[in-house]
Amino acid sequence: MAEIGPDIERAASLLNDGKLVGIPTETVYGLAGNAFNKDAVIDIFEVKNRPEFDPLIVHTHSVNQLDKFVSEIPLVLEKLINRYWPGPMTVLLHKKSIIPDIVTSGMERVAVRIPAHPMTLELLKKLDFPLVAPSANPFGYVSPTTPGHVNDQLGDKIPYILDGGKCEIGLESTIVGLEDGEAFVYRLGGLELEQIESVVGPVKIQKHSSSDPKAPGMLKSHYAPSKKVICGDVTSLNHQFKDLKKGFILLNDHSELIEGEQTIYLSKNGDLHEAARGLFSSLRKLDSLDIDIIIAQEAPDQGLGRAINDRLKRASA
Ligand code: TXA
Ligand code: MG
């Protein structure tokens, strides 16, 4: 198992040696390595069992670091960057050659973000290189929101997990780039669509695809526990599957269901931020119980509800 602790110096020295470290961010925990070190990047793909066609996000601490590895910042994206970084938004920008091709799966654009977690920002400032960090889970599984989640699945493959507590947002970053000169959302996430549109006007969203190599995070089946997940109207699904052992993920009161460890309320009053924060640990919890299926209530199609529904649908695909 990995060592878990708050030692930023230790994390920095391991990363300087080309090793991988679990790092906290406000969205989910990342599996970090030196973005300029091709061997470290290859190790990340191996540890996660991730296909090489799925590119990685590069994390840095300050906008003034960008010109080291990015060639230009279009105005539309600059507006979003100025408003929402540090924060749960990743931006696709044209890369310089210092970024190894394997980071972007050979594509011209690199995904970049400044995470809003004080320990990881301090760590990034101590390093002479940015960090690539995919979510710290085996490929295709639910992302981790605590150091314990990282340790459960990757602990025997990495030396250290930097303990920054429970993730504040609990959903991966929203991925934005330009398509035909306009802002385009490739993955819904911790930054709300409404927040993006308030800066750049109406944006289009990537439709789910099972084969688009441009954004494998948009794979139809992804973010999935090993149990079957079904998302929709809880009352009717409860009737439909009356002969199975069920676990429930709920957003507001369903008094017909008996409360117990199989019934998890993400937020009793429908607070979508609270719901997002608990979603992935609830999926993990139910995945570990003796049940046949997980039934999840659909969230309203607004704010973080969109990203919650997106993850539930892909967990159920
Ligand atoms: O919140 C997050 O974004 C977390 C934390 C650790 O920062 N990271 C994360 O990374 O979710 P990952 O690797 O699990 O998901 C990143 C997704 C990839 O699946 C891919 O679809 C997309 O970002 N992506 C990365 N680079 C890209 C690129 N150059 N072009 C298009 N999509 C890209
Ligand atoms: Mg991931």
Side-chain angles (χ1 to χ4, degrees), residues 241-247 262 290-294:
F241 295 100
K242 58 179 182 303
D243 298 330
L244 294 183
K245 280 186 272 181
K246 299 174 287 290
Q262 270 94 328
D290 176 28
I291 55 174
D292 302 315
I293 56 167
I294 299 169

Side-chain angles (χ1 to χ4, degrees), residues 238 248 250 254-265:
N238 189 26
F248 293 95
L250 303 171
H254 276 72
S255 46
E256 81 273 19
L257 299 172
I258 296 155
E259 236 179 291
E261 64 169 4
Q262 270 94 328
T263 303
I264 299 179
Y265 281 98

Side-chain angles (χ1 to χ4, degrees), residues 14-29:
L14 287 163
L15 290 161
N16 273 316
D17 287 346
K19 303 278 193 330
L20 308 184
V21 172
I23 58 161
T25 84
E26 80 282 30
T27 59
V28 300
Y29 271 74

Side-chain angles (χ1 to χ4, degrees), residues 28-29 48 50 54 57 133-144 172 187 217 222-223:
V28 300
Y29 271 74
K48 273 189 64 103
R50 179 176 177 122
D54 193 0
I57 298 175
S135 54
N137 51 276
F139 181 69
Y141 197 73
V142 183
S143 294
E172 303 84 352
R187 177 177 75 180
H222 210 75
Y223 311 105

Side-chain angles (χ1 to χ4, degrees), residues 98-237:
I98 190 168
I99 299 280
D101 286 335
I102 185 175
V103 169
T104 62
S105 305
M107 290 185 285
E108 283 172 16
R109 291 187 297 180
V110 59
V112 186
R113 120 176 160 91
I114 300 182
H117 193 291
M119 290 171 83
T120 289
L121 286 173
E122 199 181 323
L123 171 64
L124 284 161
K125 282 180 194 150
K126 286 182 191 296
L127 302 170
D128 290 334
F129 46 82
L131 292 173
V132 273
S135 54
N137 51 276
F139 181 69
Y141 197 73
V142 183
S143 294
T145 54
T146 68
H149 292 163
V150 182
N151 210 16
D152 286 346
Q153 291 183 304
L154 303 182
D156 55 351
K157 295 177 178 160
I158 58 175
Y160 196 66
I161 302 167
L162 187 60
D163 186 352
K166 208 175 151 193
C167 298
E168 186 61 36
I169 291 182
L171 296 171
E172 303 84 352
S173 60
T174 301
I175 303 180
V176 195
L178 281 192
E179 288 285 330
D180 303 322
E182 292 188 31
F184 185 91
V185 169
Y186 297 88
R187 177 177 75 180
L188 292 164
L191 185 70
E192 297 167 7
L193 192 63
E194 291 86 340
Q195 291 176 289
I196 293 174
E197 293 190 326
S198 76
V199 176
V200 299
V203 295
K204 294 202 176 103
I205 308 171
Q206 169 94 41
K207 292 268 185 314
H208 290 177
S209 156
S210 53
S211 59
D212 185 355
K214 237 195 230 167
M218 299 299 292
L219 286 176
K220 208 166 174 191
S221 171
H222 210 75
Y223 311 105
S226 43
K227 298 253 157 66
K228 187 169 176 53
V229 178
I230 300 181
C231 179
D233 178 68
V234 171
T235 310
S236 54
L237 288 170

